[in-house]
């Protein structure tokens, strides 16, 4: 369904992606893990067509999105839902208008159809009676749920999630992971999730790829990764200072 083929990208004079290849099959939950600054969000932005690689290609449902026209990209975006890092809700819009946004932008629906779809999407994520509130009036966990409702309201086939549980307490994180798994089942979604939370990764993933300094250092089935003796995986799971991962602050 999604094929990332040898992509490279330079940003701000630095090579951020250094030849990334991966494949996501239909119905699969593919999770990309790795330390802060390793290029996870940049990779995700390439997969949704927001950034173009310097080299390589990204094929979604047979279409090379690095060469697609504006119209083709708009069409393919209809099949994608995205939860951005931090949620990226519009502060000046109510919950209702935040969730309705992709419908107004991508589809031509009546106000009544929009109202029904927004209600259904909010119900799917377990929110009720918050339509007229603004994002700042919600808790962090509720804001995440609104971001999820917005991402699934247009009934996408693939859901992209960038750090959906970062900044939440462990219990709220677990409920958000459960919501992700339920949305995947309920809507027959393919998932691509980026996270540095290993517990989240194992709760959600069928496949896991670890990114480090713009390279995929390990990938495999979630079970293989959990049992792996790979030093990158061990160090990341244990949060240890000892190992191949070295965090640079620049
Ligand atoms: N638009 C940009 N211009 C210049 N450099 C960028 C840009 N976007 C990202 N970078 C750089 O690319 C590197 C990877 O950034 P990215 O946001 O993908 O990291 P990440 O793995 O998502 O980190 P985190 O876990 O903290 O979200 C960083 O060094 C960042 O400064
Ligand atoms: Mg990021």
């Amino acid at each position: 369904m999604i094929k990332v083929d040898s992509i490279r990208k330079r940003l701000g004079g630095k090579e951020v992606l250094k030849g990334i290849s991966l494949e996501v099959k239909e119905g699969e939950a593919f999770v990309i893990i790795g330390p802060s600054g390793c290029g996870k969000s940049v990779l995700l932005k390439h997969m949704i067509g927001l950034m173009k690689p310097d080299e390589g290609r990204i094929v979604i449902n047979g279409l090379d999105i690095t060469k697609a026209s504006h119209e083709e990209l708009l069409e393919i975006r209809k099949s994608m839902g995205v939860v951005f890092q931090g949620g990226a809700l519009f502060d000046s819009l109510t919950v209702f208008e935040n969730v309705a946004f992709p419908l107004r932008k991508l589809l031509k629906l009546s106000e009544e159809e929009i109202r029904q779809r927004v209600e259904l999407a909010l119900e799917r994520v377990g929110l009720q009676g918050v339509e007229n509130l603004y994002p700042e009036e919600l808790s962090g966990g509720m804001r995440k749920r609104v971001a999820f409702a917005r991402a699934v309201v247009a009934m996408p086939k693939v859901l992209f999630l960038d750090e959906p549980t970062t900044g939440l307490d462990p219990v709220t994180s677990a409920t958000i992971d459960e919501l992700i798994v339920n949305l995947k089942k309920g809507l027959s979604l393919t998932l691509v999730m980026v996270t540095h939370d290993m517990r989240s990764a194992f709760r959600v993933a069928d496949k896991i790829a670890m990114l480090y300094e713009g390279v995929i250092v390990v990938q495999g089935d979630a079970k293989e990764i959990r049992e792996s003796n790979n030093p990158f995986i061990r160090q990341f799971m244990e949060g240890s200072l000892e190992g191949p991962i070295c965090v640079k602050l620049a």
Side-chain angles (χ1 to χ4, degrees), residues 48-117:
I48 60 179
L50 274 185
M51 280 187 174
K52 280 202 193 305
D54 301 329
E55 279 176 43
R57 38 179 224 145
I58 297 143
V59 182
I60 300 187
N61 283 333
L63 178 76
D64 181 350
I65 62 164
T66 59
K67 296 209 175 75
S69 66
H70 185 65
E71 286 70 32
E72 284 173 324
L73 260 184
L74 275 183
E75 200 51 41
I76 204 111
R77 286 235 174 90
K78 286 184 189 166
S79 67
M80 296 176 169
V82 187
V83 175
F84 289 98
Q85 189 163 5
L89 296 176
F90 303 112
D91 291 337
S92 61
L93 297 181
T94 61
V95 166
F96 183 94
E97 285 305 328
N98 263 285
V99 179
F101 190 82
L103 297 177
R104 296 197 195 285
K105 205 164 155 65
L106 295 172
L107 309 173
K108 290 194 175 64
L109 299 174
S110 69
E111 273 309 303
E112 179 55 22
E113 284 169 318
I114 289 175
R115 195 187 56 76
Q116 284 175 5
R117 291 235 202 163

